[in-house]
Amino acid sequence: MKKIEAIIKPFKLDDVKEGLTEIGVRGMSVSEIKGFGRQKGHTEIYRGAEYTVDFVPKLKLEVVVGAEMAPQVVELIQEKAKTGSIGDGKIFVTSLEEVIRIRTGERGKEAI
Amino acid sequence: MKKIEAIIKPFKLDDVKEGLTEIGVRGMSVSEIKGFGRQKGHTEIYRGAEYTVDFVPKLKLEVVVGAEMAPQVVELIQEKAKTGSIGDGKIFVTSLEEVIRIRTGERGKEAI
Amino acid sequence: MKKIEAIIKPFKLDDVKEGLTEIGVRGMSVSEIKGFGRQKGHTEIYRGAEYTVDFVPKLKLEVVVGAEMAPQVVELIQEKAKTGSIGDGKIFVTSLEEVIRIRTGERGKEAI
Amino acid sequence: MINAGDTTFILICSALVMFMTPGLALFYGGMVRHKNVLATIMQSFIVIGLVTVIWVLWGYSLAFGPDVGGVVGSLAWFGLKGVGLSPSPDYANTIPHQAFMIFQAMFAIITPALITGAFAERMKFSAFLLFILLWSTFVYSPLAHWVWGAGGWLGNMGALDFAGGTVVHISSGVSALAAALLISKRKGYGKEQFIPHNLPMTITGTAILWFGWFGFNAGSALASNGLAAGAFVTTHVASASAALTWMLAEWMHHGKPTTLGAASGAVAGLVAVTPAAGFVGPLSALIIGGLAGIICYGAVVAKSTLGYDDSLDVVGIHGVGGTWGALATGLFASTAVNPDGANGLLFGNAAQLWVQFLSVLVTCIFAFVMTVVILKLLDLTIGLRVDHEEEVRGLDITQHSETAYSL
Amino acid sequence: MINAGDTTFILICSALVMFMTPGLALFYGGMVRHKNVLATIMQSFIVIGLVTVIWVLWGYSLAFGPDVGGVVGSLAWFGLKGVGLSPSPDYANTIPHQAFMIFQAMFAIITPALITGAFAERMKFSAFLLFILLWSTFVYSPLAHWVWGAGGWLGNMGALDFAGGTVVHISSGVSALAAALLISKRKGYGKEQFIPHNLPMTITGTAILWFGWFGFNAGSALASNGLAAGAFVTTHVASASAALTWMLAEWMHHGKPTTLGAASGAVAGLVAVTPAAGFVGPLSALIIGGLAGIICYGAVVAKSTLGYDDSLDVVGIHGVGGTWGALATGLFASTAVNPDGANGLLFGNAAQLWVQFLSVLVTCIFAFVMTVVILKLLDLTIGLRVDHEEEVRGLDITQHSETAYSL
Amino acid sequence: MINAGDTTFILICSALVMFMTPGLALFYGGMVRHKNVLATIMQSFIVIGLVTVIWVLWGYSLAFGPDVGGVVGSLAWFGLKGVGLSPSPDYANTIPHQAFMIFQAMFAIITPALITGAFAERMKFSAFLLFILLWSTFVYSPLAHWVWGAGGWLGNMGALDFAGGTVVHISSGVSALAAALLISKRKGYGKEQFIPHNLPMTITGTAILWFGWFGFNAGSALASNGLAAGAFVTTHVASASAALTWMLAEWMHHGKPTTLGAASGAVAGLVAVTPAAGFVGPLSALIIGGLAGIICYGAVVAKSTLGYDDSLDVVGIHGVGGTWGALATGLFASTAVNPDGANGLLFGNAAQLWVQFLSVLVTCIFAFVMTVVILKLLDLTIGLRVDHEEEVRGLDITQHSETAYSL
Ligand SMILES: Nc1ncnc2c1ncn2[C@@H]1O[C@H](COP(=O)(O)OP(=O)(O)O)[C@@H](O)[C@H]1O
Ligand SMILES: Nc1ncnc2c1ncn2[C@@H]1O[C@H](COP(=O)(O)OP(=O)(O)O)[C@@H](O)[C@H]1O
Ligand SMILES: Nc1ncnc2c1ncn2[C@@H]1O[C@H](COP(=O)(O)OP(=O)(O)O)[C@@H](O)[C@H]1O
């Protein structure tokens, strides 16, 4: 089993989600993160004082899939989340030792 | 060392936390996530237009424990977080290479 | 490739970030979490009723770096995030199987 | 004859009192969990719509229409028939009759809205609407007639209620108790933590309530004169002093002065001074308010012991505070302040305290019994409460298909 | 001669109407996405500043200054020259002329602010400021003169518009339509979900609007008398009834009564009763409001079919509601309520309905054409719209370098 | 003899001014970090309670009671003894004396609340309460007597201060400077980013301040007449114009017009016009406000250079704005507007500017010295500041055991 973490631009979520559903991914988890990287942040002005906010709001997608499906998922995310401009994000792949579905106690592939 | 990630229904947090404390888990980290899966979301209505919100708010629990303790923790979470209805969530287990306690610099088991 | 997750006290973010940038880390992701552990929470009072809130707000830092750089990063975070008082947090290290930069499709080291 | 100054006064005061109900919506809304904030706000907001329609059609007539045996007004003024733009012979004869009518409408609106705090976070919206409809018709209108209607028996008995201690606060507070008991506790009450989701919202609501209360109490002089000024001052002073004492009581009791405590105290002070506003002087108001802060704080703390789930403390603040205010009027009232009033115990007239006590008693019994009847009826027919699953997901989504915040 | 009661009334009403524009800012601000809330609030807030300056310099003179052929006021009162502290012979002769001027200023402020709901979340701030400058000068002032200015031709024609159904609501609603069509849809409209980011903010805004509207309508009696009281009552009743009917319509149509629906209904009722307030009785107001709730709900739902992106439904609520109100005035107006008014169709005077219809028609054409001209002009010169990238990141950061919340 | 129109005016204006302090709470509350929002709101809210009690007991007597050598009122009116419901011979003789007293109470409340912006996010609550107690008694009351009290020496000297430029704004602004210097900077000031946590809250507060300021300035005419109307107009015009100029100044200086800038400008304009409101015409107000926006923006920007941490810019806006307003009164005042006033420099009377300058100077010295004394005293006894650990965790939890939001 593989866990695929993708950090993407927020407005890309829908596209990625659709894509994943199409190729048969049945679930995923999303959380909001602050990203720091090459893409620079923005300036804010309060009472005549300038502040540079150097993080960029991003979404972190977590998808767990069977090993054989992982490459396809990675590819799809990379394609769907891509805009070509700095800040598109990253995809990280780790291997999972075990997956359990809480409702049924099923383990491994069945649990996904 | 194992890292156990559990995605659960928010109102189950207290039960799970109590359970874990009882079996001697001394710490954990919790974050809010949006979950997509079999459990379907809800409908919202604004100015007569319907929107289907297909994510479900969930909590993500992260617990790091020694390898030997992992199975017990997984079992406990599965039991405590279970309602039997769709959307109970998942448990993912990964192995950690290293754990450090920032305060003391302790490593491995001592750090947990 | 290693993924270093660090749970730190929120007001330490700037110091850690600076430190990491200095040693050449070009990116990271940060998210807000609720921490449970030895550090105890606080009491809140509403309409004469006391509530003990036992979680503590923390930040979770995720930094992906090449294997050779990992020890240095871990050390730096430990040093920068340390206050010496309970609740300084933890550092977790996992190994990544793959990293992809969405924008370019680069993989591995190049992707970071 | 219409007086422009008085008419301006009552119209602006009516606007101020109207503004109180959305203020209450914020006051209550900030104290619930975020999944229920819209439903809580809605329970106050829609009451403005519903009760206004009731009031125009039959509510005003039942309350202030031609007296029928001292217990209720006739339906002669149904649809505001004969309620015109010239002064009424019976009420406030320097302003248009409709000005008096609309001023009273705002009281009829906020009173049932106050009750909603007791069953917040668990009542079915449909049942709620019917409850308001019935309560407004069968509890508020008669009660208003008894105290303020020409020929009303409590008024004739000599009970002093300047701006609605019995009619508004005791009636809502006691009905709240009945409702809390009947609808029973929120899921997880005592186990989970019910922490206010947005206290700045609650403070904002408090501020609007305080602001509007000037219209509520001073406006009850029904003319712009010394009496109005006096009521304005006592209102402000009592609220200020109660905000301080509640905060201090909490500080001593729990070691911390809270913002919600100061806000709750302010409201308690406003409640307590309501029946007394035009009958007592500023120093009496200082004492009435000061004690209200302590008494109501005690009542709110006592709740947990008594074990009913009055979600937002309507009983402790409006029921207990209103009762204290009505009795305090019987203690501190002075004809030196208001010749048309009466002297209280402290000014040598023990009888007044007795009359006040009777009016409190009657109001409590009437409001409690009627509310129980109405709610039982609804419970047996359509049911009062949302199911567990809905309660867990929250009323905003399950009752209104909305979410309050997408930040 | 100056009457203290009337002066108090108009000054306080002016304050109430001023308060409406920030209320509108919250009403609108809560409905946009959080990345645009400050920009949306700013579009209302800065209008207070900009239009006030315009009004003092030339706007008031163009609207109420010495008549020029019935179509506009002269610039004789530029910089409020001759607009002093004693009553004007032409307007409201029991209050200082400046009191009348500032009361009217508040109307001149909120009207263009209403339009901003149509192009929310995508307009360039610089273009927006110029739009307001031109619209206020070339659309609002002339229109106000036609209807309310001494010698204005629509007024002379006998069109009834008590508090601004045509001048304020139809003009802004129709201009909103023109704007929505010209500036075209928001990026992702129909595809992404545009969910209000903060509904409690919107309800708070609604409450402030309702509260201020008493000053808007009752104040339009320009004196504190029976007429003012009548207008106050009809205003409240229509709003209440519309809040209910919109909610019920939605309940039947979508199976859920929403908070935003109740709030939208309340505003629709206030809009519809505005031209009628001083000419109809409470029961007529009940009907006017009740129908407004249903008609405006229908108009808002129809939008999606018609396919223009009027972000916050200015057309459906102010355009349609204002039109309904203006026509309803031609139906329900009665000299029994206001001798200086006229009878409507239901009271035997079909002619009035025709006059009302004409005034609506004229207003629609004038406002629509002028708005198109102004916006085209700006589009060709500096451009109306922010670029895609800016729209995605939000107007708060890109136009104002601010973020609304750091919670 | 009591006039109903005037009484209505002052009572409603009192309500409006009371509403300003919660407005200030929101204005300030939105600008701090979310961990301190309740503490910041509380510092304004509880002042309403505390100062009201002080005012009723001794504050009013010290300020307006029988003159003692021109410097303070006697304690003859302790507990409002002799302050009744009929007009006072010395003040506002067409309204009940208590109406005048409560109107003045609202001024006494908001003035110390203004100072809280200077030491926001770091002051100990207990020390704060004592500071208010002492400052209100030993700074506000005497100062109010000097300028407005019958026999007050600054008033006798001929200093013009229509609604409190010196008494309210300069005194609070200068005290704010003293406080900021004494309590020193917030932890991390200059290093960390202090970004407002909720700007819509700040705008809402601004709107309430603007709304209430009509009561503040127009009400200071103490009767409903031409003068009141004039003050109302100048207030609105100055605020509008300052909102624009601050925004434009910022736009030119930083390339972006901000919402907070427009709001800050509006407040600066209101501050500046306060002493002038009843003495100048609309066009003068336009200039006074316009320059206030630019001057105060400059002052706020200068802060970082001067290096003191006046958290929410009380010095830059109230201190500098109030000073500019007091001097501007000496420039623009005209007996053509107010015969009971005086002419300023521009109308040929240079002497007035000198008198204004003196009154500013005296106020600055007195307020600064007294505030230093009071704070030093408290610092040496109970300490002014929370400890570092508490400051990091925030005042809401450490001072009040509450959290503002659980969203
Ligand atoms: N080394 C890293 N570890 C963890 N997250 C990273 C790392 N580098 C970048 N990120 C995440 O990816 C996002 C995009 O990276 P960035 O360098 O801005 O652009 P790009 O993805 O085009 O290289 C960042 O905002 C951050 O959230
Ligand atoms: N493949 C997956 N990868 C990551 N998270 C998942 C995956 N499938 C489900 N989840 C998470 O688990 C939650 C519950 O899953 P769901 O399919 O709705 O019900 P069940 O857990 O009963 O199968 C989802 O809301 C989502 O957060
Ligand atoms: N076993 C664990 N698994 C996951 N997170 C943990 C664990 N133990 C502690 N943490 C995280 O580390 C934070 C600090 O831990 P704590 O025990 O309070 O102090 P210390 O880090 O000094 O031991 C906690 O708030 C929690 O977020």
Side-chain angles (χ1 to χ4, degrees), chain B residues 44-53, chain E residues 27 31 193-194 196 250 254 264 312-313:
Chain B
E44 297 186 10
I45 304 173
Y46 300 103
R47 292 264 168 98
E50 289 201 10
Y51 299 91
T52 45
V53 178
Chain E
F27 179 70
M31 280 189 273
Q193 303 194 329
F194 294 107
E250 196 168 35
H254 279 287
S264 308
L312 310 178
D313 296 309

Side-chain angles (χ1 to χ4, degrees), chain D residues 5-375:
Chain D
D6 294 340
T7 302
T8 299
F9 189 59
I10 296 310
L11 290 181
I12 302 300
C13 285
S14 302
L16 287 172
V17 181
M18 179 274 163
F19 199 36
M20 288 175 73
T21 300
L24 182 71
L26 296 178
F27 180 69
Y28 281 169
M31 280 189 273
V32 298
R33 289 160 298 173
H34 66 81
K35 63 184 177 182
N36 296 318
V37 54
L38 290 176
T40 303
I41 287 175
M42 181 67 155
Q43 286 189 341
S44 287
F45 188 83
I46 204 62
V47 162
I48 308 175
L50 182 55
V51 171
T52 298
V53 173
I54 294 170
W55 194 248
V56 167
L57 293 179
W58 62 80
Y60 180 66
S61 193
L62 289 176
F64 294 92
D67 178 68
V68 180
V71 298
V72 70
S74 82
L75 283 173
W77 295 355
F78 185 94
L80 299 184
K81 190 153 163 309
V83 179
L85 301 180
S86 49
S88 131
D90 302 330
Y91 310 104
N93 51 38
T94 63
I95 63 172
H97 191 177
Q98 283 193 11
F100 175 78
M101 179 281 299
I102 202 70
F103 181 65
Q104 290 299 334
M106 305 312 181
F107 285 61
I109 288 166
I110 195 166
T111 305
L114 289 169
I115 307 173
T116 64
F119 47 68
E121 305 199 291
R122 56 200 187 281
M123 193 166 186
K124 212 190 283 179
F125 187 65
S126 51
F128 161 76
L129 288 179
L130 288 170
F131 169 69
I132 296 298
L133 176 72
L134 297 169
W135 197 90
S136 178
T137 305
F138 297 111
V139 183
Y140 186 82
S141 282
L143 209 48
H145 186 78
W146 297 358
V147 179
W148 293 325
W153 73 277
L154 274 178
N156 288 347
M157 199 176 75
L160 296 179
D161 185 356
F162 193 73
T166 47
V167 183
V168 175
H169 297 292
I170 297 181
S171 73
S172 58
V174 168
S175 301
L177 179 60
L181 292 170
L182 274 173
I183 202 167
S184 79
K185 301 177 182 175
R186 284 166 291 178
K187 192 175 183 313
Y189 180 74
K191 183 171 165 304
E192 291 169 38
Q193 303 193 328
F194 295 106
I195 290 181
H197 90 287
N198 189 340
L199 280 178
M201 177 186 280
T202 294
I203 310 298
T204 305
T206 308
I208 293 173
L209 284 169
W210 195 330
F211 176 57
W213 224 296
F214 289 123
F216 196 95
N217 286 1
S220 292
L222 295 173
S224 180
N225 49 31
L227 180 60
F232 188 108
V233 169
T234 53
T235 300
H236 184 68
V237 170
S239 183
S241 128
L244 282 181
T245 55
W246 182 305
M247 180 190 79
L248 293 171
E250 197 169 34
W251 205 342
M252 285 185 250
H253 182 202
H254 279 287
K256 283 280 159 66
T258 69
T259 315
L260 180 58
S264 309
V267 175
L270 290 162
V271 168
V273 80
T274 295
F279 301 118
V280 306
L283 291 184
S284 302
L286 198 70
I287 299 166
I288 293 173
L291 289 173
I294 293 161
I295 294 170
C296 294
Y297 175 70
V300 164
V301 171
K303 180 182 66 173
S304 34
T305 340
L306 299 173
Y308 56 88
D309 179 14
D310 169 17
S311 317
L312 310 178
D313 295 308
V314 187
V315 179
I317 291 175
H318 297 274
V320 174
T323 303
W324 156 242
L327 298 177
T329 308
L331 294 171
F332 295 94
S334 151
T335 51
V337 174
N338 182 350
D340 308 343
N343 279 320
L345 180 65
L346 300 179
F347 296 90
N349 174 15
Q352 190 58 42
L353 184 57
W354 175 243
V355 177
Q356 295 302 104
F357 173 74
L358 283 183
S359 68
V360 170
L361 193 71
V362 168
T363 310
C364 288
I365 295 168
F366 179 68
F368 192 89
V369 173
M370 291 298 287
T371 303
V372 169
V373 172
I374 294 171
L375 288 176

Side-chain angles (χ1 to χ4, degrees), chain A residues 41-108:
Chain A
H42 62 274
T43 306
E44 297 187 9
I45 304 172
Y46 300 103
R47 289 265 168 99
E50 288 202 10
Y51 299 91
T52 45
V53 177
D54 52 9
F55 70 79
V56 186
K58 302 277 176 192
L59 288 182
K60 179 177 166 189
L61 219 76
E62 289 175 86
V63 194
V64 171
V65 292
E68 73 299 341
M69 200 177 176
Q72 187 190 358
V73 169
V74 168
E75 204 168 277
L76 181 126
I77 294 178
Q78 200 250 320
E79 163 199 325
K80 293 287 185 185
K82 178 175 180 170
T83 69
S85 65
I86 288 183
D88 278 353
K90 315 270 186 222
I91 303 173
F92 307 132
V93 183
T94 28
S95 81
L96 282 182
E97 298 196 334
E98 186 57 282
V99 180
I100 298 95
R101 164 174 285 126
I102 291 171
R103 171 166 47 99
T104 58
E106 289 160 289
R107 293 179 171 247

Side-chain angles (χ1 to χ4, degrees), chain A residues 45-48 50-52, chain F residues 27 193 250 254 264 312-313:
Chain A
I45 304 172
Y46 300 103
R47 289 265 168 99
E50 288 202 10
Y51 299 91
T52 45
Chain F
F27 180 70
Q193 301 194 329
E250 197 169 34
H254 279 287
S264 309
L312 310 178
D313 295 308

Side-chain angles (χ1 to χ4, degrees), chain B residues 3 28 30 97 100 102, chain C residues 2 5 34 36 78 91 93:
Chain B
K3 178 179 174 200
M28 70 196 77
V30 177
E97 298 196 332
I100 298 94
I102 290 172
Chain C
K2 302 289 178 189
E5 292 181 289
K34 302 172 172 184
F36 298 88
Q78 200 249 322
I91 303 173
V93 183

